[in-house]
Amino acid sequence: MPEPAAAAEDNRPYIIRAYGPDALRGALLRMFLIRNFEEAAEASYMRGLVHGTMHLSIGQEAVAVGACLGLTESDKITSTHRGHGHCIAKGADVGRMFAEFFGKETGYCRGRGGSMHIADPAKGNLGANGIVGGGLPIAVGSALSAKRLGTGAVTVCFFGDGANNEGAFHEALNMAAIWKLPVVFLCENNRYGMSTSTERSTAVPRVALRAAAYAMPGVTVDGNDISAVAEAVDAATARGRAGEGPSLVECLTYRWRGHSKSDRNRYRSREEIEAWMARDPIPRFAALLVAHGIMSEDEVRAAEAEAERVIEAGLEFARAGPDPSVADLTRDVYTTEAP
Amino acid sequence: MTTAGGGVRELSYAEALREAMDIALASDPRVILMGEDIGVYGGAFQVTGDLVHRYGEDRVIDTPISELGGAGVAIGAAMTGLRPIYEFQFSDFATLAMEQIVNQAAKIRYMLGGAVSVPVVMRFPAGSGTGAAAQHSQSLEAWFGHVPGLKVVQPSTPADAKGLLLAALEDPDPVLIFEHKLLYKMKGPVPEGHYTVPIGKAAIRRPGRDLCIVAGAIMVHRALEAAEALSAEGIEAEVIDLRSIRPIDRDTILDAVRRTGRLICVYEGVKTLGIGAEISAMVAESDAFDFLDAPIIRLGGAEAPIPYNPELEKAAVPQVPDIVAAARALAGGRL
């Protein structure tokens, strides 16, 4: 959780004011972990070690880490098909994530879910979702539980720009608003739902404008600026915890890679991709930390090396895991075996 | 049936369901009811009745007309500590919520490798006979019976309605209850207090030696009426109430076929690819097939939407004379 607000005359960026050095170093490490995890997952895919496809969020790391920075383990998130970053930002173990990619019994879903269904309920991650918009009503249900059970938890509901045209988005926002539930609808607007741009798919120029239809605050921030993301989400979670209801935070960002491994990038230009790659959120945050004396250049390099080491150990753990037994094909369809 | 003792009264099917929810709300603070117009209106079929006045709007929650979202909220709440009972106003409206029921509720536990359960209960007023025409009269239970991860029950009596609903609430997985609308006002003996009826166990409602009729929901009552008429002609029909279609009570059905050698499946859902097809195949694939003395007969819904005109509506689903005629044909060996 963020620390009490500093004095008004403090002109440093929000994240520097609100979080201590350990939290900030941890945030940078998690951004490196997400980047390295996805690069290693992609490399594993290229080598034929990963069955099926995957949806990479390289370039979007500031959104996941910024949104989760102020959350506790009892707070919940719902995630999307592009959810590796959310998992890591909420504290998932990369070894068990890789094991899931490799279809191992030691994976988060014991090899039953793969890249699109990783969940970590113990850490408050209710799971990625293969259906665009599928997690939105579930997040509202999680917030309803928190309110009824008085847990004080908030739920951060990640969704992409593509989901904002699903009926589930509108139904979920409306119900969260009429019942004043502690949920933050966090739109990762990476500009394309698969190949279709928001300009071609969405009648309003900003997803956040849709908040007005559900009488909740809606803000749009630079999703490659972790401080801006954290500031907006922390304000929204504070509002939720205070019983004032839901908020919509739209983070403008970009996925460097295609939608999935089948994407040939026919719908966007090299210039556009390169322009966004020049706005890489990770060096930007690292430079901020160095400028404010939180970390030295050497410490930044050490954090990157540490992430690489964790990723390597995670891959090692995943490769060593056992495959599921075919005899267990129907295990966990039900909690108790059918009579 | 496990009972808590106490007396037995006559209650309607709707009253029995309400009593089950009353018991659950009173004994478990995690239980909430959700649905359209279930509060002061009392539910479209007056099943929730006055519960909102006794448990408040925080626990008997009127939802907007948002079936997809509402079902998803119930699922999310079930994953995080509540025990929601979500009422669809008509089972037909499940079509608006298929994504959440089929992709989410049914699959989350499996996809997540068993990390969570989804203990949600969904109630569906189903079936024809009310003049509500094609979009408010369907029997879609077989659709959901096709989905691993769901449990699907269709109680035919007030006592079962209460006991199955209480069993559903104790079940850690999603349970869908299909309640035939014509049964809501039907009265029957209902034990007082808390008891459960096991999910997945059929009931033999009437024993018989000559043939067996396997039916669910309202069709159980039509089958019993047909069996009474057949008995006067010297044909003794056994009537099996499925009660649950997923899991289905294979043992009870196959045993009845072995004993009687003749089988009629009666169900209101569309005949083709319906529950009767599954039961017939179950028999054909088992040793019970060797005991058959005649072909199996399926009596199911017509290959048409449910029509409005009352005579057409009746003709669209099996009625007592259809069952009697089929049984006579089977018993007479005239097929």
Short mmCIF file of all heavy atoms in Angstrom, two decimals, chain B residues 174-236:
data_model
loop_
_atom_site.label_atom_id
_atom_site.label_comp_id
_atom_site.label_asym_id
_atom_site.label_seq_id
_atom_site.Cartn_x
_atom_site.Cartn_y
_atom_site.Cartn_z
N PRO B 174 -20.74 -25.90 -9.41
CA PRO B 174 -21.96 -25.25 -9.91
C PRO B 174 -23.09 -26.26 -10.10
O PRO B 174 -22.89 -27.29 -10.74
CB PRO B 174 -21.53 -24.68 -11.27
CG PRO B 174 -20.06 -24.79 -11.34
CD PRO B 174 -19.62 -25.82 -10.37
N VAL B 175 -24.25 -25.93 -9.53
CA VAL B 175 -25.43 -26.78 -9.70
C VAL B 175 -26.54 -25.95 -10.33
O VAL B 175 -26.86 -24.86 -9.84
CB VAL B 175 -25.91 -27.37 -8.36
CG1 VAL B 175 -27.13 -28.27 -8.59
CG2 VAL B 175 -24.80 -28.16 -7.68
N LEU B 176 -27.10 -26.45 -11.41
CA LEU B 176 -28.18 -25.78 -12.12
C LEU B 176 -29.47 -26.54 -11.84
O LEU B 176 -29.54 -27.75 -12.04
CB LEU B 176 -27.90 -25.78 -13.64
CG LEU B 176 -26.94 -24.71 -14.19
CD1 LEU B 176 -25.63 -24.64 -13.44
CD2 LEU B 176 -26.70 -24.92 -15.67
N ILE B 177 -30.48 -25.81 -11.37
CA ILE B 177 -31.76 -26.43 -11.01
C ILE B 177 -32.81 -25.99 -12.02
O ILE B 177 -33.11 -24.79 -12.12
CB ILE B 177 -32.18 -26.04 -9.59
CG1 ILE B 177 -31.07 -26.40 -8.59
CG2 ILE B 177 -33.50 -26.72 -9.21
CD1 ILE B 177 -31.35 -25.97 -7.17
N PHE B 178 -33.35 -26.93 -12.76
CA PHE B 178 -34.41 -26.63 -13.72
C PHE B 178 -35.75 -26.94 -13.06
O PHE B 178 -36.02 -28.09 -12.71
CB PHE B 178 -34.19 -27.40 -15.03
CG PHE B 178 -33.10 -26.78 -15.85
CD1 PHE B 178 -31.77 -27.02 -15.56
CD2 PHE B 178 -33.40 -25.89 -16.88
CE1 PHE B 178 -30.75 -26.41 -16.27
CE2 PHE B 178 -32.39 -25.27 -17.60
CZ PHE B 178 -31.06 -25.53 -17.29
N GLU B 179 -36.54 -25.89 -12.89
CA GLU B 179 -37.81 -25.99 -12.18
C GLU B 179 -38.93 -25.82 -13.19
O GLU B 179 -39.05 -24.76 -13.82
CB GLU B 179 -37.89 -24.87 -11.12
CG GLU B 179 -36.71 -24.89 -10.15
CD GLU B 179 -36.51 -23.58 -9.38
OE1 GLU B 179 -37.30 -22.63 -9.59
OE2 GLU B 179 -35.57 -23.50 -8.59
N HIS B 180 -39.74 -26.86 -13.38
CA HIS B 180 -40.82 -26.72 -14.38
C HIS B 180 -41.89 -25.78 -13.86
O HIS B 180 -42.40 -25.96 -12.76
CB HIS B 180 -41.42 -28.08 -14.73
CG HIS B 180 -42.12 -28.04 -16.05
ND1 HIS B 180 -43.31 -27.38 -16.24
CD2 HIS B 180 -41.78 -28.54 -17.27
CE1 HIS B 180 -43.68 -27.49 -17.50
NE2 HIS B 180 -42.77 -28.18 -18.15
N LYS B 181 -42.22 -24.80 -14.67
CA LYS B 181 -43.14 -23.74 -14.23
C LYS B 181 -44.51 -24.28 -13.84
O LYS B 181 -45.17 -23.74 -12.96
CB LYS B 181 -43.27 -22.68 -15.33
CG LYS B 181 -41.96 -21.96 -15.61
CD LYS B 181 -42.13 -20.78 -16.54
CE LYS B 181 -42.39 -21.19 -17.97
NZ LYS B 181 -41.18 -21.53 -18.74
N LEU B 182 -44.95 -25.35 -14.50
CA LEU B 182 -46.27 -25.91 -14.18
C LEU B 182 -46.27 -26.60 -12.81
O LEU B 182 -47.33 -26.92 -12.28
CB LEU B 182 -46.73 -26.90 -15.26
CG LEU B 182 -46.99 -26.32 -16.64
CD1 LEU B 182 -47.47 -27.41 -17.59
CD2 LEU B 182 -48.03 -25.19 -16.59
N LEU B 183 -45.08 -26.85 -12.27
CA LEU B 183 -45.02 -27.53 -10.98
C LEU B 183 -45.08 -26.56 -9.80
O LEU B 183 -45.32 -26.98 -8.67
CB LEU B 183 -43.72 -28.35 -10.87
CG LEU B 183 -43.57 -29.53 -11.83
CD1 LEU B 183 -42.19 -30.16 -11.68
CD2 LEU B 183 -44.66 -30.57 -11.57
N TYR B 184 -44.84 -25.27 -10.04
CA TYR B 184 -44.70 -24.34 -8.92
C TYR B 184 -45.87 -24.38 -7.95
O TYR B 184 -45.71 -24.25 -6.76
CB TYR B 184 -44.50 -22.90 -9.42
CG TYR B 184 -43.08 -22.60 -9.84
CD1 TYR B 184 -42.82 -21.90 -11.02
CD2 TYR B 184 -42.00 -22.96 -9.05
CE1 TYR B 184 -41.52 -21.60 -11.41
CE2 TYR B 184 -40.69 -22.66 -9.42
CZ TYR B 184 -40.46 -21.97 -10.60
OH TYR B 184 -39.18 -21.66 -10.98
N LYS B 185 -47.09 -24.59 -8.49
CA LYS B 185 -48.28 -24.56 -7.61
C LYS B 185 -48.67 -25.96 -7.13
O LYS B 185 -49.59 -26.11 -6.34
CB LYS B 185 -49.44 -23.90 -8.34
CG LYS B 185 -49.21 -22.41 -8.51
CD LYS B 185 -50.37 -21.68 -9.14
CE LYS B 185 -50.07 -20.18 -9.18
NZ LYS B 185 -50.92 -19.47 -10.12
N MET B 186 -47.97 -26.96 -7.61
CA MET B 186 -48.31 -28.33 -7.21
C MET B 186 -47.94 -28.56 -5.75
O MET B 186 -46.86 -28.18 -5.30
CB MET B 186 -47.54 -29.32 -8.08
CG MET B 186 -48.06 -30.74 -7.98
SD MET B 186 -46.89 -31.89 -8.70
CE MET B 186 -45.71 -32.01 -7.37
N LYS B 187 -48.86 -29.17 -5.01
CA LYS B 187 -48.60 -29.40 -3.58
C LYS B 187 -48.13 -30.82 -3.33
O LYS B 187 -48.45 -31.74 -4.09
CB LYS B 187 -49.86 -29.12 -2.77
CG LYS B 187 -50.26 -27.66 -2.81
CD LYS B 187 -50.98 -27.23 -1.55
CE LYS B 187 -51.10 -25.72 -1.55
NZ LYS B 187 -51.03 -25.17 -0.22
N GLY B 188 -47.41 -31.00 -2.26
CA GLY B 188 -46.97 -32.33 -1.90
C GLY B 188 -46.39 -32.31 -0.50
O GLY B 188 -46.13 -31.23 0.06
N PRO B 189 -46.17 -33.48 0.08
CA PRO B 189 -45.61 -33.53 1.44
C PRO B 189 -44.15 -33.08 1.44
O PRO B 189 -43.36 -33.50 0.58
CB PRO B 189 -45.73 -35.01 1.82
CG PRO B 189 -45.80 -35.74 0.52
CD PRO B 189 -46.43 -34.82 -0.48
N VAL B 190 -43.82 -32.23 2.38
CA VAL B 190 -42.44 -31.72 2.48
C VAL B 190 -42.01 -31.80 3.95
O VAL B 190 -42.65 -31.21 4.81
CB VAL B 190 -42.36 -30.25 2.00
CG1 VAL B 190 -40.93 -29.72 2.16
CG2 VAL B 190 -42.79 -30.13 0.54
N PRO B 191 -40.92 -32.50 4.21
CA PRO B 191 -40.44 -32.55 5.60
C PRO B 191 -40.03 -31.18 6.11
O PRO B 191 -39.53 -30.35 5.34
CB PRO B 191 -39.23 -33.49 5.53
CG PRO B 191 -39.40 -34.27 4.26
CD PRO B 191 -40.13 -33.35 3.31
N GLU B 192 -40.22 -30.96 7.37
CA GLU B 192 -39.76 -29.71 7.99
C GLU B 192 -38.24 -29.75 8.15
O GLU B 192 -37.63 -30.80 8.12
CB GLU B 192 -40.40 -29.55 9.38
CG GLU B 192 -41.88 -29.19 9.31
CD GLU B 192 -42.52 -29.10 10.68
OE1 GLU B 192 -41.90 -29.58 11.67
OE2 GLU B 192 -43.64 -28.56 10.75
N GLY B 193 -37.68 -28.57 8.35
CA GLY B 193 -36.25 -28.48 8.69
C GLY B 193 -35.33 -28.76 7.51
O GLY B 193 -35.74 -28.83 6.35
N HIS B 194 -34.06 -28.92 7.88
CA HIS B 194 -33.03 -29.09 6.86
C HIS B 194 -32.87 -30.55 6.47
O HIS B 194 -32.76 -31.42 7.34
CB HIS B 194 -31.69 -28.56 7.39
CG HIS B 194 -30.58 -28.64 6.38
ND1 HIS B 194 -29.85 -29.80 6.17
CD2 HIS B 194 -30.09 -27.74 5.51
CE1 HIS B 194 -28.96 -29.58 5.21
NE2 HIS B 194 -29.08 -28.34 4.80
N TYR B 195 -32.88 -30.85 5.19
CA TYR B 195 -32.54 -32.17 4.69
C TYR B 195 -32.04 -32.01 3.26
O TYR B 195 -32.26 -30.97 2.64
CB TYR B 195 -33.75 -33.13 4.73
CG TYR B 195 -34.86 -32.74 3.79
CD1 TYR B 195 -34.91 -33.20 2.47
CD2 TYR B 195 -35.88 -31.87 4.21
CE1 TYR B 195 -35.92 -32.82 1.60
CE2 TYR B 195 -36.89 -31.48 3.35
CZ TYR B 195 -36.91 -31.96 2.04
OH TYR B 195 -37.89 -31.58 1.18
N THR B 196 -31.35 -33.00 2.76
CA THR B 196 -30.88 -32.93 1.39
C THR B 196 -31.31 -34.18 0.62
O THR B 196 -31.51 -35.24 1.21
CB THR B 196 -29.33 -32.83 1.32
OG1 THR B 196 -28.78 -33.96 2.01
CG2 THR B 196 -28.82 -31.55 1.95
N VAL B 197 -31.46 -34.00 -0.68
CA VAL B 197 -31.71 -35.11 -1.59
C VAL B 197 -30.44 -35.24 -2.43
O VAL B 197 -29.99 -34.25 -3.01
CB VAL B 197 -32.93 -34.82 -2.49
CG1 VAL B 197 -33.04 -35.84 -3.62
CG2 VAL B 197 -34.21 -34.79 -1.66
N PRO B 198 -29.84 -36.41 -2.48
CA PRO B 198 -28.54 -36.51 -3.16
C PRO B 198 -28.64 -36.20 -4.66
O PRO B 198 -29.55 -36.67 -5.33
CB PRO B 198 -28.11 -37.95 -2.91
CG PRO B 198 -29.35 -38.68 -2.53
CD PRO B 198 -30.27 -37.69 -1.89
N ILE B 199 -27.68 -35.41 -5.12
CA ILE B 199 -27.62 -35.09 -6.55
C ILE B 199 -27.04 -36.29 -7.28
O ILE B 199 -25.99 -36.81 -6.90
CB ILE B 199 -26.73 -33.84 -6.75
CG1 ILE B 199 -27.43 -32.62 -6.12
CG2 ILE B 199 -26.45 -33.59 -8.24
CD1 ILE B 199 -26.54 -31.40 -6.02
N GLY B 200 -27.74 -36.75 -8.33
CA GLY B 200 -27.23 -37.88 -9.09
C GLY B 200 -27.95 -39.19 -8.80
O GLY B 200 -27.57 -40.24 -9.34
N LYS B 201 -28.99 -39.13 -7.97
CA LYS B 201 -29.75 -40.34 -7.66
C LYS B 201 -31.17 -40.21 -8.19
O LYS B 201 -31.91 -39.29 -7.83
CB LYS B 201 -29.82 -40.57 -6.14
CG LYS B 201 -28.50 -40.95 -5.51
CD LYS B 201 -27.92 -42.25 -6.05
CE LYS B 201 -28.71 -43.47 -5.58
NZ LYS B 201 -28.11 -44.73 -6.17
N ALA B 202 -31.57 -41.15 -9.05
CA ALA B 202 -32.94 -41.18 -9.54
C ALA B 202 -33.85 -41.79 -8.47
O ALA B 202 -33.37 -42.35 -7.48
CB ALA B 202 -33.02 -41.99 -10.82
N ALA B 203 -35.17 -41.67 -8.67
CA ALA B 203 -36.13 -42.25 -7.72
C ALA B 203 -37.13 -43.09 -8.51
O ALA B 203 -37.61 -42.67 -9.56
CB ALA B 203 -36.86 -41.14 -6.98
N ILE B 204 -37.41 -44.28 -7.99
CA ILE B 204 -38.47 -45.10 -8.60
C ILE B 204 -39.78 -44.64 -7.99
O ILE B 204 -40.03 -44.85 -6.81
CB ILE B 204 -38.21 -46.60 -8.35
CG1 ILE B 204 -36.89 -47.00 -9.02
CG2 ILE B 204 -39.38 -47.43 -8.91
CD1 ILE B 204 -36.44 -48.41 -8.69
N ARG B 205 -40.61 -43.97 -8.79
CA ARG B 205 -41.86 -43.41 -8.28
C ARG B 205 -42.99 -44.42 -8.26
O ARG B 205 -43.95 -44.28 -7.53
CB ARG B 205 -42.29 -42.21 -9.12
CG ARG B 205 -41.32 -41.05 -9.11
CD ARG B 205 -41.16 -40.46 -7.70
NE ARG B 205 -40.28 -39.30 -7.73
CZ ARG B 205 -39.70 -38.76 -6.67
NH1 ARG B 205 -39.91 -39.31 -5.47
NH2 ARG B 205 -38.92 -37.72 -6.78
N ARG B 206 -42.88 -45.43 -9.14
CA ARG B 206 -43.89 -46.47 -9.17
C ARG B 206 -43.20 -47.71 -9.72
O ARG B 206 -42.61 -47.66 -10.80
CB ARG B 206 -45.02 -46.03 -10.11
CG ARG B 206 -46.13 -47.07 -10.28
CD ARG B 206 -47.12 -46.63 -11.35
NE ARG B 206 -48.12 -47.67 -11.54
CZ ARG B 206 -49.40 -47.57 -11.22
NH1 ARG B 206 -49.87 -46.44 -10.75
NH2 ARG B 206 -50.23 -48.59 -11.41
N PRO B 207 -43.26 -48.81 -9.00
CA PRO B 207 -42.64 -50.03 -9.53
C PRO B 207 -43.55 -50.68 -10.57
O PRO B 207 -44.77 -50.50 -10.54
CB PRO B 207 -42.49 -50.92 -8.29
CG PRO B 207 -43.52 -50.42 -7.32
CD PRO B 207 -43.86 -49.00 -7.67
N GLY B 208 -42.96 -51.42 -11.47
CA GLY B 208 -43.76 -52.11 -12.49
C GLY B 208 -42.93 -53.16 -13.17
O GLY B 208 -41.71 -53.04 -13.25
N ARG B 209 -43.61 -54.20 -13.69
CA ARG B 209 -42.86 -55.33 -14.25
C ARG B 209 -42.79 -55.33 -15.77
O ARG B 209 -41.94 -55.98 -16.36
CB ARG B 209 -43.49 -56.64 -13.77
CG ARG B 209 -44.95 -56.79 -14.21
CD ARG B 209 -45.56 -58.16 -14.03
NE ARG B 209 -46.82 -58.18 -14.75
CZ ARG B 209 -47.99 -57.82 -14.23
NH1 ARG B 209 -48.08 -57.45 -12.97
NH2 ARG B 209 -49.08 -57.83 -14.97
N ASP B 210 -43.71 -54.60 -16.44
CA ASP B 210 -43.85 -54.78 -17.89
C ASP B 210 -42.99 -53.84 -18.72
O ASP B 210 -42.57 -54.19 -19.82
CB ASP B 210 -45.32 -54.61 -18.30
CG ASP B 210 -46.20 -55.66 -17.64
OD1 ASP B 210 -45.73 -56.80 -17.48
OD2 ASP B 210 -47.35 -55.34 -17.26
N LEU B 211 -42.80 -52.66 -18.24
CA LEU B 211 -41.98 -51.70 -18.99
C LEU B 211 -41.55 -50.60 -18.03
O LEU B 211 -42.15 -50.45 -16.95
CB LEU B 211 -42.73 -51.10 -20.18
CG LEU B 211 -44.01 -50.32 -19.87
CD1 LEU B 211 -43.78 -48.83 -19.97
CD2 LEU B 211 -45.10 -50.74 -20.85
N CYS B 212 -40.52 -49.85 -18.40
CA CYS B 212 -40.17 -48.72 -17.55
C CYS B 212 -40.20 -47.43 -18.35
O CYS B 212 -39.85 -47.39 -19.52
CB CYS B 212 -38.82 -48.92 -16.85
SG CYS B 212 -37.42 -48.92 -17.91
N ILE B 213 -40.68 -46.41 -17.67
CA ILE B 213 -40.75 -45.07 -18.25
C ILE B 213 -39.77 -44.20 -17.46
O ILE B 213 -39.90 -44.05 -16.25
CB ILE B 213 -42.17 -44.48 -18.13
CG1 ILE B 213 -43.21 -45.43 -18.77
CG2 ILE B 213 -42.23 -43.10 -18.78
CD1 ILE B 213 -44.66 -45.02 -18.50
N VAL B 214 -38.78 -43.67 -18.17
CA VAL B 214 -37.81 -42.79 -17.52
C VAL B 214 -38.16 -41.36 -17.91
O VAL B 214 -38.25 -41.04 -19.11
CB VAL B 214 -36.37 -43.12 -17.96
CG1 VAL B 214 -35.38 -42.15 -17.32
CG2 VAL B 214 -36.02 -44.55 -17.57
N ALA B 215 -38.39 -40.52 -16.91
CA ALA B 215 -38.87 -39.17 -17.18
C ALA B 215 -38.25 -38.20 -16.18
O ALA B 215 -37.65 -38.60 -15.18
CB ALA B 215 -40.39 -39.13 -17.07
N GLY B 216 -38.43 -36.91 -16.46
CA GLY B 216 -37.95 -35.88 -15.54
C GLY B 216 -38.98 -34.78 -15.43
O GLY B 216 -39.81 -34.58 -16.32
N ALA B 217 -38.93 -34.06 -14.31
CA ALA B 217 -39.76 -32.87 -14.07
C ALA B 217 -41.25 -33.17 -14.27
O ALA B 217 -41.76 -34.17 -13.79
CB ALA B 217 -39.28 -31.72 -14.95
N ILE B 218 -41.95 -32.34 -15.03
CA ILE B 218 -43.40 -32.51 -15.20
C ILE B 218 -43.72 -33.85 -15.85
O ILE B 218 -44.79 -34.43 -15.61
CB ILE B 218 -43.98 -31.34 -16.05
CG1 ILE B 218 -45.51 -31.40 -16.10
CG2 ILE B 218 -43.46 -31.37 -17.47
CD1 ILE B 218 -46.16 -30.54 -15.07
N MET B 219 -42.80 -34.38 -16.65
CA MET B 219 -43.07 -35.63 -17.36
C MET B 219 -43.20 -36.81 -16.39
O MET B 219 -43.83 -37.81 -16.73
CB MET B 219 -41.98 -35.89 -18.39
CG MET B 219 -42.01 -34.91 -19.55
SD MET B 219 -43.58 -34.88 -20.41
CE MET B 219 -43.51 -33.27 -21.20
N VAL B 220 -42.65 -36.68 -15.21
CA VAL B 220 -42.82 -37.73 -14.21
C VAL B 220 -44.31 -37.86 -13.87
O VAL B 220 -44.84 -38.96 -13.77
CB VAL B 220 -42.00 -37.41 -12.93
CG1 VAL B 220 -42.30 -38.41 -11.83
CG2 VAL B 220 -40.52 -37.36 -13.26
N HIS B 221 -44.96 -36.73 -13.70
CA HIS B 221 -46.38 -36.74 -13.33
C HIS B 221 -47.24 -37.27 -14.47
O HIS B 221 -48.19 -38.01 -14.26
CB HIS B 221 -46.81 -35.35 -12.89
CG HIS B 221 -46.00 -34.88 -11.72
ND1 HIS B 221 -46.23 -35.31 -10.44
CD2 HIS B 221 -44.89 -34.10 -11.66
CE1 HIS B 221 -45.33 -34.77 -9.62
NE2 HIS B 221 -44.50 -34.04 -10.34
N ARG B 222 -46.88 -36.90 -15.70
CA ARG B 222 -47.63 -37.44 -16.85
C ARG B 222 -47.39 -38.95 -16.97
O ARG B 222 -48.30 -39.71 -17.31
CB ARG B 222 -47.22 -36.70 -18.13
CG ARG B 222 -47.71 -35.26 -18.08
CD ARG B 222 -47.53 -34.47 -19.34
NE ARG B 222 -47.84 -33.07 -19.02
CZ ARG B 222 -47.38 -32.02 -19.68
NH1 ARG B 222 -46.61 -32.19 -20.74
NH2 ARG B 222 -47.71 -30.81 -19.30
N ALA B 223 -46.18 -39.37 -16.69
CA ALA B 223 -45.88 -40.80 -16.75
C ALA B 223 -46.65 -41.56 -15.68
O ALA B 223 -47.16 -42.66 -15.92
CB ALA B 223 -44.37 -41.02 -16.59
N LEU B 224 -46.77 -40.97 -14.49
CA LEU B 224 -47.52 -41.64 -13.41
C LEU B 224 -49.00 -41.74 -13.76
O LEU B 224 -49.65 -42.76 -13.50
CB LEU B 224 -47.33 -40.86 -12.09
CG LEU B 224 -45.96 -41.04 -11.42
CD1 LEU B 224 -45.77 -40.03 -10.30
CD2 LEU B 224 -45.79 -42.46 -10.89
N GLU B 225 -49.51 -40.68 -14.36
CA GLU B 225 -50.92 -40.70 -14.78
C GLU B 225 -51.13 -41.77 -15.86
O GLU B 225 -52.11 -42.52 -15.83
CB GLU B 225 -51.29 -39.31 -15.31
CG GLU B 225 -52.78 -39.00 -15.23
CD GLU B 225 -53.09 -37.59 -15.75
OE1 GLU B 225 -52.30 -36.65 -15.48
OE2 GLU B 225 -54.12 -37.45 -16.44
N ALA B 226 -50.19 -41.84 -16.77
CA ALA B 226 -50.26 -42.86 -17.83
C ALA B 226 -50.17 -44.25 -17.22
O ALA B 226 -50.91 -45.17 -17.60
CB ALA B 226 -49.14 -42.64 -18.84
N ALA B 227 -49.30 -44.41 -16.23
CA ALA B 227 -49.11 -45.73 -15.60
C ALA B 227 -50.38 -46.19 -14.91
O ALA B 227 -50.72 -47.37 -14.91
CB ALA B 227 -47.94 -45.67 -14.61
N GLU B 228 -51.09 -45.23 -14.32
CA GLU B 228 -52.35 -45.55 -13.65
C GLU B 228 -53.36 -46.07 -14.69
O GLU B 228 -54.03 -47.09 -14.47
CB GLU B 228 -52.87 -44.28 -12.96
CG GLU B 228 -53.99 -44.49 -11.98
CD GLU B 228 -53.58 -45.34 -10.78
OE1 GLU B 228 -52.40 -45.29 -10.38
OE2 GLU B 228 -54.44 -46.09 -10.26
N ALA B 229 -53.45 -45.39 -15.80
CA ALA B 229 -54.38 -45.80 -16.86
C ALA B 229 -53.98 -47.17 -17.42
O ALA B 229 -54.82 -48.04 -17.67
CB ALA B 229 -54.40 -44.75 -17.96
N LEU B 230 -52.68 -47.35 -17.58
CA LEU B 230 -52.19 -48.62 -18.14
C LEU B 230 -52.46 -49.78 -17.18
O LEU B 230 -52.76 -50.91 -17.61
CB LEU B 230 -50.68 -48.52 -18.42
CG LEU B 230 -50.30 -47.59 -19.59
CD1 LEU B 230 -48.82 -47.22 -19.52
CD2 LEU B 230 -50.63 -48.25 -20.93
N SER B 231 -52.37 -49.49 -15.89
CA SER B 231 -52.58 -50.53 -14.89
C SER B 231 -54.00 -51.10 -15.01
O SER B 231 -54.22 -52.30 -14.84
CB SER B 231 -52.35 -49.93 -13.50
OG SER B 231 -52.52 -50.92 -12.52
N ALA B 232 -54.95 -50.21 -15.31
CA ALA B 232 -56.33 -50.65 -15.49
C ALA B 232 -56.46 -51.62 -16.66
O ALA B 232 -57.40 -52.41 -16.74
CB ALA B 232 -57.24 -49.44 -15.70
N GLU B 233 -55.50 -51.54 -17.58
CA GLU B 233 -55.51 -52.44 -18.75
C GLU B 233 -54.62 -53.66 -18.51
O GLU B 233 -54.39 -54.46 -19.43
CB GLU B 233 -54.99 -51.70 -19.99
CG GLU B 233 -55.81 -50.48 -20.36
CD GLU B 233 -55.17 -49.68 -21.49
OE1 GLU B 233 -54.30 -50.24 -22.20
OE2 GLU B 233 -55.53 -48.51 -21.65
N GLY B 234 -54.05 -53.73 -17.32
CA GLY B 234 -53.20 -54.88 -17.01
C GLY B 234 -51.75 -54.70 -17.40
O GLY B 234 -50.97 -55.64 -17.38
N ILE B 235 -51.37 -53.47 -17.75
CA ILE B 235 -49.95 -53.20 -18.07
C ILE B 235 -49.34 -52.47 -16.88
O ILE B 235 -49.82 -51.40 -16.51
CB ILE B 235 -49.82 -52.34 -19.35
CG1 ILE B 235 -50.49 -53.04 -20.54
CG2 ILE B 235 -48.37 -52.01 -19.63
CD1 ILE B 235 -50.62 -52.17 -21.78
N GLU B 236 -48.31 -53.07 -16.29
CA GLU B 236 -47.69 -52.46 -15.12
C GLU B 236 -46.40 -51.75 -15.53
O GLU B 236 -45.39 -52.38 -15.86
CB GLU B 236 -47.40 -53.52 -14.06
CG GLU B 236 -48.66 -54.14 -13.45
CD GLU B 236 -49.59 -53.10 -12.79
OE1 GLU B 236 -49.09 -52.07 -12.30
OE2 GLU B 236 -50.82 -53.33 -12.80
#
